[in-house]
């Protein structure tokens, strides 16, 4: 509604409505904490990352403790269901060859461009305050991340987590 009115809503006859603010205004869907965090990960199901993510799912840990998550893989993979009943199934991306960059690290820029294309196309990230790309073997503690990104609520920000 453009304005708040404590009178019953003609659509639902709710006579208990109040205009009292119940919490901070959020840009996103905060189901597990504020601000809301959407975690995305690219993983290889046939590597150690597959079983590791499955264990995180069982423990409701890692990206599965974010307000929303999405898994990406070049091979089909379903890890199971979260404690909230959400199916943890990988969104397929094209198989892209990963080489070595000049500094000897993985030359995977095209791979991650394919992931971000899928993230943007699905538009789910728009339902959350922050989108975080997480490595499948990373330790992710969303409540700690919330403390660090809270100062950026309502603004575009790129937060670097390492050198």
């Amino acid at each position: 509604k453009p304005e708040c009115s404590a009178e019953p809503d003609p659509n639902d006859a709710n006579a208990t409505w109040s205009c009292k603010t119940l919490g901070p205004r959020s840009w996103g869907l905060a189901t597990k904490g504020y601000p809301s965090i959407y975690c995305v990960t690219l993983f290889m199901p046939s590597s150690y990352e597959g079983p590791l993510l499955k264990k995180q799912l069982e423990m409701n840990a890692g990206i599965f403790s974010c307000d929303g998550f999405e898994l990406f893989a070049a091979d089909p993979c379903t890890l199971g269901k979260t404690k909230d009943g959400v199916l943890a199934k990988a969104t397929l991306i094209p198989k892209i060859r990963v080489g070595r960059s000049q500094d000897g690290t993985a030359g995977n820029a095209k791979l991650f461009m394919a992931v971000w294309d899928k993230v943007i196309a699905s538009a789910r990230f728009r339902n959350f305050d922050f989108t975080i790309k997480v490595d499948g073997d990373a330790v992710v503690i969303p409540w700690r991340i919330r403390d660090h990104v809270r100062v950026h609520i309502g603004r575009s920000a790129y937060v670097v987590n390492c050198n």
Side-chain angles (χ1 to χ4, degrees):
K1 292 180 179 181
E3 320 179 337
C4 183
S5 169
E7 295 179 21
D9 187 309
N11 297 316
D12 65 12
N14 184 352
T16 61
W17 178 258
S18 160
C19 293
K20 180 181 176 189
T21 302
L22 298 178
R25 180 176 289 278
S26 176
W27 293 95
L29 182 60
T31 59
K32 297 182 180 179
Y34 176 81
S36 60
I37 297 175
Y38 179 60
C39 295
V40 297
T41 192
L42 168 65
F43 75 108
M44 295 190 316
S46 60
S47 76
Y48 70 94
E49 294 173 325
L52 184 59
L53 282 167
K54 190 169 181 70
K55 189 64 175 176
Q56 289 178 23
L57 175 67
E58 291 169 8
M59 298 175 67
N60 200 37
I63 70 167
F64 305 106
S65 57
C66 296
D67 298 286
F69 69 88
E70 192 159 5
L71 303 161
F72 294 92
D75 296 312
C77 180
T78 301
L79 297 175
K81 286 191 175 183
T82 67
K83 294 189 186 300
D84 302 330
V86 177
L87 186 64
K89 181 178 180 181
T91 298
L92 292 177
I93 60 161
K95 291 187 181 198
I96 297 172
R97 188 177 163 276
V98 175
R100 289 269 174 223
S101 66
Q102 291 179 349
D103 64 357
T105 59
N108 55 9
K110 288 184 180 178
L111 187 63
F112 281 101
M113 288 168 63
V115 169
W116 286 112
D117 285 346
K118 293 277 187 175
V119 169
I120 292 166
S122 79
R124 283 191 63 211
F125 73 96
R126 295 188 184 278
N127 296 326
F128 302 89
D129 293 308
F130 295 96
T131 300
I132 299 174
K133 181 270 194 193
V134 179
D135 288 341
D137 59 357
V139 174
V140 179
I141 306 171
W143 64 268
R144 292 285 310 256
I145 294 170
R146 287 182 179 96
D147 288 342
H148 291 284
V149 299
R150 189 170 277 119
V151 297
H152 302 291
I153 293 172
R155 300 183 305 183
S156 294
Y158 178 80
V159 179
V160 179
N161 69 343
C162 59
N163 297 354

mmCIF file of all heavy atoms in Angstrom, residues 41-47 49-51 53 71-75 77-79 89-90 136:
data_model
loop_
_atom_site.group_PDB
_atom_site.id
_atom_site.type_symbol
_atom_site.label_atom_id
_atom_site.label_comp_id
_atom_site.label_asym_id
_atom_site.label_seq_id
_atom_site.Cartn_x
_atom_site.Cartn_y
_atom_site.Cartn_z
ATOM 1 N N THR A 41 27.162 -21.160 -5.646
ATOM 2 C CA THR A 41 28.426 -21.884 -5.738
ATOM 3 C C THR A 41 28.479 -22.699 -7.021
ATOM 4 O O THR A 41 27.464 -23.219 -7.481
ATOM 5 C CB THR A 41 28.649 -22.804 -4.510
ATOM 6 O OG1 THR A 41 29.998 -23.265 -4.522
ATOM 7 C CG2 THR A 41 27.715 -23.983 -4.486
ATOM 8 N N LEU A 42 29.656 -22.763 -7.575
ATOM 9 C CA LEU A 42 29.959 -23.622 -8.719
ATOM 10 C C LEU A 42 30.797 -24.765 -8.166
ATOM 11 O O LEU A 42 31.776 -24.527 -7.452
ATOM 12 C CB LEU A 42 30.750 -22.843 -9.774
ATOM 13 C CG LEU A 42 31.381 -23.672 -10.893
ATOM 14 C CD1 LEU A 42 30.308 -24.331 -11.752
ATOM 15 C CD2 LEU A 42 32.298 -22.804 -11.734
ATOM 16 N N PHE A 43 30.400 -25.989 -8.473
ATOM 17 C CA PHE A 43 31.156 -27.125 -7.950
ATOM 18 C C PHE A 43 31.200 -28.256 -8.952
ATOM 19 O O PHE A 43 30.439 -28.282 -9.915
ATOM 20 C CB PHE A 43 30.564 -27.597 -6.614
ATOM 21 C CG PHE A 43 29.281 -28.375 -6.731
ATOM 22 C CD1 PHE A 43 29.249 -29.739 -6.500
ATOM 23 C CD2 PHE A 43 28.091 -27.739 -7.064
ATOM 24 C CE1 PHE A 43 28.066 -30.461 -6.588
ATOM 25 C CE2 PHE A 43 26.911 -28.446 -7.152
ATOM 26 C CZ PHE A 43 26.898 -29.810 -6.924
ATOM 27 N N MET A 44 32.130 -29.176 -8.721
ATOM 28 C CA MET A 44 32.250 -30.377 -9.547
ATOM 29 C C MET A 44 31.733 -31.549 -8.720
ATOM 30 O O MET A 44 32.387 -31.971 -7.750
ATOM 31 C CB MET A 44 33.700 -30.592 -9.975
ATOM 32 C CG MET A 44 34.199 -29.491 -10.886
ATOM 33 S SD MET A 44 35.802 -29.782 -11.667
ATOM 34 C CE MET A 44 36.813 -30.421 -10.357
ATOM 35 N N PRO A 45 30.557 -32.066 -9.056
ATOM 36 C CA PRO A 45 29.955 -33.152 -8.268
ATOM 37 C C PRO A 45 30.836 -34.388 -8.137
ATOM 38 O O PRO A 45 30.808 -35.063 -7.106
ATOM 39 C CB PRO A 45 28.673 -33.488 -9.040
ATOM 40 C CG PRO A 45 28.358 -32.265 -9.828
ATOM 41 C CD PRO A 45 29.692 -31.645 -10.157
ATOM 42 N N SER A 46 31.658 -34.685 -9.160
ATOM 43 C CA SER A 46 32.476 -35.896 -9.119
ATOM 44 C C SER A 46 33.773 -35.712 -8.338
ATOM 45 O O SER A 46 34.495 -36.679 -8.102
ATOM 46 C CB SER A 46 32.803 -36.346 -10.550
ATOM 47 O OG SER A 46 33.518 -35.322 -11.221
ATOM 48 N N SER A 47 34.058 -34.485 -7.900
ATOM 49 C CA SER A 47 35.258 -34.240 -7.098
ATOM 50 C C SER A 47 34.892 -34.317 -5.616
ATOM 51 O O SER A 47 33.764 -34.626 -5.250
ATOM 52 C CB SER A 47 35.837 -32.858 -7.426
ATOM 53 O OG SER A 47 35.059 -31.842 -6.811
ATOM 54 N N GLU A 49 34.219 -31.953 -3.841
ATOM 55 C CA GLU A 49 33.225 -30.923 -3.537
ATOM 56 C C GLU A 49 31.808 -31.486 -3.433
ATOM 57 O O GLU A 49 31.004 -30.996 -2.637
ATOM 58 C CB GLU A 49 33.264 -29.816 -4.592
ATOM 59 C CG GLU A 49 34.542 -29.018 -4.585
ATOM 60 C CD GLU A 49 34.623 -28.059 -5.742
ATOM 61 O OE1 GLU A 49 34.133 -28.386 -6.848
ATOM 62 O OE2 GLU A 49 35.187 -26.970 -5.552
ATOM 63 N N GLY A 50 31.490 -32.508 -4.229
ATOM 64 C CA GLY A 50 30.148 -33.105 -4.194
ATOM 65 C C GLY A 50 29.790 -33.641 -2.814
ATOM 66 O O GLY A 50 28.813 -33.208 -2.196
ATOM 67 N N PRO A 51 30.575 -34.584 -2.279
ATOM 68 C CA PRO A 51 30.293 -35.105 -0.936
ATOM 69 C C PRO A 51 30.388 -34.031 0.156
ATOM 70 O O PRO A 51 29.647 -34.071 1.133
ATOM 71 C CB PRO A 51 31.363 -36.179 -0.731
ATOM 72 C CG PRO A 51 31.799 -36.573 -2.105
ATOM 73 C CD PRO A 51 31.635 -35.343 -2.951
ATOM 74 N N LEU A 53 29.635 -30.795 -0.130
ATOM 75 C CA LEU A 53 28.384 -30.014 -0.148
ATOM 76 C C LEU A 53 27.214 -30.837 0.374
ATOM 77 O O LEU A 53 26.330 -30.310 1.043
ATOM 78 C CB LEU A 53 28.098 -29.483 -1.553
ATOM 79 C CG LEU A 53 28.926 -28.261 -1.943
ATOM 80 C CD1 LEU A 53 28.817 -27.981 -3.437
ATOM 81 C CD2 LEU A 53 28.473 -27.033 -1.154
ATOM 82 N N LEU A 71 23.010 -23.793 -6.653
ATOM 83 C CA LEU A 71 24.167 -24.610 -6.994
ATOM 84 C C LEU A 71 24.328 -24.621 -8.506
ATOM 85 O O LEU A 71 23.334 -24.699 -9.231
ATOM 86 C CB LEU A 71 23.950 -26.054 -6.522
ATOM 87 C CG LEU A 71 23.672 -26.276 -5.046
ATOM 88 C CD1 LEU A 71 23.038 -27.640 -4.824
ATOM 89 C CD2 LEU A 71 24.956 -26.132 -4.259
ATOM 90 N N PHE A 72 25.564 -24.582 -8.987
ATOM 91 C CA PHE A 72 25.847 -24.644 -10.412
ATOM 92 C C PHE A 72 26.880 -25.723 -10.656
ATOM 93 O O PHE A 72 27.847 -25.859 -9.898
ATOM 94 C CB PHE A 72 26.382 -23.299 -10.921
ATOM 95 C CG PHE A 72 25.371 -22.199 -10.839
ATOM 96 C CD1 PHE A 72 25.307 -21.396 -9.720
ATOM 97 C CD2 PHE A 72 24.460 -21.991 -11.860
ATOM 98 C CE1 PHE A 72 24.367 -20.386 -9.621
ATOM 99 C CE2 PHE A 72 23.514 -20.989 -11.774
ATOM 100 C CZ PHE A 72 23.464 -20.183 -10.658
ATOM 101 N N ALA A 73 26.680 -26.505 -11.721
ATOM 102 C CA ALA A 73 27.613 -27.562 -12.085
ATOM 103 C C ALA A 73 27.467 -27.859 -13.571
ATOM 104 O O ALA A 73 26.420 -27.587 -14.177
ATOM 105 C CB ALA A 73 27.349 -28.822 -11.261
ATOM 106 N N ALA A 74 28.519 -28.418 -14.148
ATOM 107 C CA ALA A 74 28.478 -28.800 -15.560
ATOM 108 C C ALA A 74 27.869 -30.194 -15.741
ATOM 109 O O ALA A 74 27.539 -30.582 -16.852
ATOM 110 C CB ALA A 74 29.886 -28.754 -16.155
ATOM 111 N N ASP A 75 27.731 -30.934 -14.655
ATOM 112 C CA ASP A 75 27.125 -32.270 -14.679
ATOM 113 C C ASP A 75 25.890 -32.276 -13.786
ATOM 114 O O ASP A 75 25.876 -31.620 -12.741
ATOM 115 C CB ASP A 75 28.121 -33.314 -14.168
ATOM 116 C CG ASP A 75 29.339 -33.423 -15.064
ATOM 117 O OD1 ASP A 75 29.152 -33.528 -16.296
ATOM 118 O OD2 ASP A 75 30.475 -33.383 -14.536
ATOM 119 N N CYS A 77 23.333 -33.007 -10.930
ATOM 120 C CA CYS A 77 23.559 -33.445 -9.550
ATOM 121 C C CYS A 77 22.436 -32.940 -8.660
ATOM 122 O O CYS A 77 22.090 -31.759 -8.707
ATOM 123 C CB CYS A 77 24.897 -32.917 -9.038
ATOM 124 S SG CYS A 77 25.252 -33.417 -7.337
ATOM 125 N N THR A 78 21.871 -33.832 -7.875
ATOM 126 C CA THR A 78 20.909 -33.466 -6.852
ATOM 127 C C THR A 78 21.478 -33.951 -5.522
ATOM 128 O O THR A 78 21.751 -35.135 -5.358
ATOM 129 C CB THR A 78 19.530 -34.107 -7.111
ATOM 130 O OG1 THR A 78 19.061 -33.670 -8.387
ATOM 131 C CG2 THR A 78 18.525 -33.716 -6.045
ATOM 132 N N LEU A 79 21.665 -33.017 -4.602
ATOM 133 C CA LEU A 79 22.258 -33.356 -3.308
ATOM 134 C C LEU A 79 21.225 -33.841 -2.299
ATOM 135 O O LEU A 79 21.561 -34.519 -1.347
ATOM 136 C CB LEU A 79 22.999 -32.145 -2.733
ATOM 137 C CG LEU A 79 24.187 -31.629 -3.547
ATOM 138 C CD1 LEU A 79 24.739 -30.365 -2.912
ATOM 139 C CD2 LEU A 79 25.257 -32.689 -3.669
ATOM 140 N N LYS A 89 19.397 -28.946 -6.055
ATOM 141 C CA LYS A 89 19.708 -29.530 -7.364
ATOM 142 C C LYS A 89 20.517 -28.511 -8.159
ATOM 143 O O LYS A 89 20.170 -27.327 -8.202
ATOM 144 C CB LYS A 89 18.416 -29.860 -8.101
ATOM 145 C CG LYS A 89 18.610 -30.484 -9.451
ATOM 146 C CD LYS A 89 17.278 -30.817 -10.096
ATOM 147 C CE LYS A 89 17.503 -31.443 -11.465
ATOM 148 N NZ LYS A 89 16.210 -31.757 -12.104
ATOM 149 N N ALA A 90 21.574 -28.976 -8.783
ATOM 150 C CA ALA A 90 22.452 -28.081 -9.532
ATOM 151 C C ALA A 90 21.781 -27.577 -10.803
ATOM 152 O O ALA A 90 21.132 -28.329 -11.519
ATOM 153 C CB ALA A 90 23.752 -28.789 -9.883
ATOM 154 N N GLY A 136 32.851 -24.113 -3.194
ATOM 155 C CA GLY A 136 32.221 -25.280 -2.586
ATOM 156 C C GLY A 136 32.925 -25.786 -1.342
ATOM 157 O O GLY A 136 32.304 -26.380 -0.469
#
